[in-house]
Amino acid sequence: MTRFVLRRVLQSAVVLLGVTLVVFLLLQLVPGDPVRVALGTRFDPQTYEALRSRAGLDQPLPVQYASYLGHALTGDLGVSFRTGQPVSRIVLERLPATLSLAVTAVLFALLVAFPLGIVAAVRSGSAVDHAARVFSQFGVSVPDFWMGIMGIILFAGVLGWLPPSGYVALTEDPGRWASHVALPAVTVGLVTASILTRFIRSSVLEVLSADYVRTAEAKGLRNRVVILRHVLRNALIPVVTVVAVQLASLLGGVIVIEVLFAWPGIGRLTFDAVQARDYPVLQGAVLLVAALFLLVNLLVDILYARLDPRITVK
Amino acid sequence: MSRNKLGVIGAALTLTVGVLSGCTGGEAVDVGDGGGAKGAGGVLNAAIGGEPDQLDPHKTSAYYSFQVLENVYDTLVEPDADLKMVPSLATKWTTSADQLTWTFTLRDGATFSDGSPLTSEDVVYSYERIIKQKLNTAYKFATVKSVTGPDPATVVVTLSAPTPNLLANLGGFKGVAIVEKANVESGKVKTAPVGSGPFKVAGYTSGDSIKLVRNDAYWGDKPKLDGVTFTFVKDPTVALQNLRSGQVQWTDNLPPQQVKSLRDGDDPVVRSAPSTDYWYVALNEARKPFDNPEVRRAIGYALDREAITKAAKFGLATVNQTAIPRNSAFFYDYAPYSHDPAKAKQMLGQAGVGNLTMDLMVTSEYPETVTAAQVIAAQLKDVGITVKIRTLDFAQWLDEQAKGKFDGFMLGWLGNVDPDEFYYAQHHSGGTFNFHKYANPAVDKLLDTARTETDQNARKQAYEQAAKQIVDDASYLYLYNPDVVQGWSKKVSGYDVRSDRAIRFRSVALGK
């Protein structure tokens, strides 16, 4: 087990290194000059050159990358072109907002998808099954920003139950945090729930037709016991992966939703950094997201090895 | 996500919002936790469309920063509601007979918000910082030879040439604010700036909001508000919902298509004023056939400015064929280009131009350019010109502009006070914003003399001649001056929309 974990950690480190290189190279291909953006319409060649050299953009590319990597290894991700603030701090500051939104959204999705998916599978072909399918189709195909706007207009505008946008830290005021997170989390969660519902339904269906379930039924076990003890446990294993992947991708920030709801998370940060061509911040954000993704995958692999003894290290 | 995809989503969003806006009730809903009144004055919540990049007034160029900084910093002089320069940190000033030495007397008792006195040393430090480090507003000090402070209450500015617009340069906006040396050197100026203005920065949550509280040491009339919180809300529909629900009491981020109906109601209060910004089309004079003034003029006749303005600004603008808006003292009434497609066609024929295809570069950063381009393309099609619209994000747009990779582009020039700012950088052959390569020695001469002309009448005349020549040469095809549109709760009193887009909350009060 230890060897398995160590090997996976090492793999992750190599992947992260690759991410920095790929992101760095891709950024060179993105058209648009960060210095021009910083100056806006007020262009002056002298100011331009001064800003450019201050940002280190007049150095050759390999020098820029080597210096970036060297600093990154010591935990220094550079400073933002725009604000001059350390990137590591900027990125970490945005993490709690994204984390709280992602976790709430996934919890909401699980609450919806589990009962719906299981009932749809067990009563396959029934009205509930059809309803679940319509729900999934709706959630996957309707754009989330549109649902977000509908939510704002309904719950903030017409009913006045929730604030239209904004963020309050959980640590600052849990009540107000909850009222602010509700709309964006449900908006994001509905999409995740649609995906999960489908997945749970098919996973449960598959297990239902397995030999050991037929055996259990033949033994005369009650339906409820069969489903809870035999079906669910086995159907859950692949579901864990899907939930983890969903969570990890939400941790990367839900760009459109964060921008729409004025939610100060990683997604909004990424959006602003792209617009301003703020390369250091963009690199930092991508690096953090990649690291989180790898971490979640690592945890899933370990959990998997635990859940299913057949998955062992060769 | 690709730019095109974003563009499509943006268009879909705009459409959805447009359709939905018709059916949202105008009823105000109070959810209780808005306002956040703690003292008698209360805290005003203002929603702005984006986040300041940083709060160092000399280094930022973002309008979002200046919306906040307007309330935090002072300049030597400042524009009043009519954009006339009036005393601020300097109470009076004298000019030497040769116009080369300006002596300013500083206000007695002005301090920074941390309590330290503001003296001539701070003014000298601030100006030298801008000049020596070539910061964004360095161009405003082009004729400044030296700045000295012979005593704590006196600042002497020595010039290399007479500069009649010096006051506008030193006080036109907060990019030339007086900063505190210690605050700059500690690096805190970026997030926790110390100014001498009516409010001071109390907190900055990245991505979310900036909190200002009243500066009790302010030299002027004390603000009535306890503070102002600026939150960053990108989507105008969401900003409007915030205003209606009482979470926010002021915003300048309103869905343009709804402004007309909002203006008719009394809560929220929505007001507009003509701005000093202008929007225009420039044609690349380094490329054929746009080097021929006849061709540019023909395009001038092909444009229907009323239709463009209606589509791009929902009528929230005044059509104009020169740069300077109607309400300015320097307005020059000259509009030779009537909408006349037949004439345009004939002129193009005489210039030997047939079946012309051109690209028009616009940017999603300013959606009005995208909408306007579609109307322009339709209008030019009527005279036989095929327009290919290129919608780029702003970073790429600026890049292509700098490299001269365009046939034509549309953009605005924002926040001007003095006529020099309307014309020099764009139309002087050595101007820093002359990316369309316009060069007319007569205009160069006029702009150079007008810059240093101290007789106001002669100066006005020189700018009128320059403006006429620029319009006749179709260096820019001016389209319109947009309105500044802002909305606030009817609990807010004492606020006025300003044509220079300065957001001043110093005299605002918040009722219950």
Side-chain angles (χ1 to χ4, degrees), chain B residues 28-362:
Chain B
V29 182
D30 200 342
V31 294
D33 62 344
K38 55 173 187 185
V43 174
L44 179 96
N45 285 331
I48 55 178
E51 181 173 0
D53 53 355
Q54 57 165 312
L55 297 177
D56 181 339
H58 295 167
K59 287 193 173 169
T60 180
S61 61
Y63 176 58
Y64 299 129
S65 307
F66 289 113
Q67 289 188 291
V68 177
L69 294 176
E70 180 67 33
N71 300 286
V72 174
Y73 277 104
D74 288 318
T75 41
L76 272 201
V77 289
E78 65 174 17
D80 67 3
D82 301 321
L83 304 190
K84 206 172 132 276
M85 303 311 287
V86 296
S88 180
L89 284 175
T91 50
K92 54 180 199 241
W93 49 91
T94 55
T95 315
S96 66
D98 63 358
Q99 305 277 339
L100 294 178
T101 309
W102 291 57
T103 309
F104 294 87
T105 306
L106 294 186
R107 184 173 297 277
D108 197 29
T111 63
F112 286 106
S113 59
D114 64 357
S116 53
L118 190 157
T119 68
S120 60
E121 245 177 77
D122 299 296
V123 180
V124 173
Y125 174 76
S126 298
Y127 290 171
E128 285 189 339
R129 178 176 186 237
I130 296 170
I131 297 167
K132 286 184 181 154
Q133 297 185 29
K134 295 175 186 155
L135 301 180
N136 297 352
T137 51
Y139 73 96
K140 288 182 183 280
F141 293 85
T143 55
V144 172
K145 222 161 65 178
S146 72
V147 186
T148 55
D151 68 71
T154 309
V155 173
V156 178
V157 177
T158 316
L159 305 171
S160 55
T163 311
N165 60 336
L166 186 72
L167 291 181
N169 283 345
L170 295 185
F173 85 124
K174 297 293 183 276
V176 287
I178 307 308
V179 297
E180 191 193 56
K181 191 176 179 185
N183 187 237
V184 170
E185 288 182 345
S186 67
K188 287 188 179 151
V189 65
K190 287 172 186 164
T191 49
V194 172
S196 57
F199 293 94
K200 55 185 178 182
V201 175
Y204 184 173
T205 314
S206 153
D208 182 48
S209 62
I210 291 179
K211 284 189 169 63
L212 304 186
V213 295
R214 179 175 46 227
N215 172 16
D216 286 319
Y218 181 52
W219 52 265
D221 293 335
K222 300 278 179 293
K224 298 181 185 78
L225 294 170
D226 291 320
V228 180
T229 300
F230 290 90
T231 47
F232 322 134
V233 181
K234 190 151 193 85
D235 191 283
T237 307
V238 177
L240 177 60
Q241 289 294 351
N242 273 296
L243 184 61
R244 282 190 167 144
S245 72
Q247 289 260 314
V248 153
Q249 290 87 37
W250 182 96
T251 189
D252 63 344
N253 190 16
L254 293 165
Q257 64 273 37
Q258 278 180 265
V259 167
K260 212 169 176 243
S261 65
L262 285 170
R263 258 201 306 214
D264 298 336
D266 70 330
D267 192 15
V269 180
V270 171
R271 295 286 175 268
S272 60
S275 74
T276 57
D277 308 346
Y278 66 81
W279 293 76
Y280 63 96
V281 167
L283 299 165
N284 193 344
E285 299 180 21
R287 285 188 183 178
K288 281 189 185 311
F290 309 107
D291 56 335
N292 182 351
E294 275 301 297
V295 174
R296 302 198 297 267
R297 272 195 282 269
I299 292 177
Y301 283 108
L303 296 178
D304 177 355
R305 289 172 173 74
E306 295 284 352
I308 295 167
T309 306
K310 219 174 217 164
K313 298 300 292 182
F314 298 89
L316 297 169
T318 312
V319 294
N320 205 353
Q321 297 198 12
T322 55
I324 301 180
R326 211 158 270 278
N327 55 334
S328 161
F330 283 92
F331 171 68
Y332 173 53
D333 197 357
Y334 184 57
Y337 301 110
S338 49
H339 176 223
D340 192 345
K343 185 170 183 174
K345 235 180 196 164
Q346 187 200 348
M347 287 172 76
L348 285 171
Q350 279 167 359
V353 175
N355 272 333
L356 177 62
T357 300
M358 63 175 282
D359 73 58
L360 182 61
M361 193 168 72
V362 293

Side-chain angles (χ1 to χ4, degrees), chain A residues 31-32 36-38 41-43 47 82-83 93-94 145-146 149 152 157 160 164-165 176 262 264 268 271 277, chain B residues 13 16 31 33 53-54 61 134 190 206-207 232 234 238 241-242 393 395-396 398 401-402 413-415 432-433:
Chain A
R36 280 301 311 275
V37 178
T41 56
R42 299 285 180 186
F43 180 76
T47 320
R82 281 197 329 151
T83 66
E93 262 174 15
R94 299 298 187 93
F145 69 84
W146 187 80
I149 289 180
I152 290 171
S165 74
R176 289 186 60 210
R268 173 112 181 255
F271 180 84
R277 298 293 190 274
Chain B
L13 194 70
T16 322
V31 294
D33 62 344
D53 53 355
Q54 57 165 312
S61 61
K134 295 175 186 155
K190 287 172 186 164
S206 153
F232 322 134
K234 190 151 193 85
V238 177
Q241 289 294 351
N242 273 296
D393 77 356
Q396 195 184 357
L398 288 165
Q401 183 204 34
W413 190 258
L414 318 178
T432 53
F433 209 78

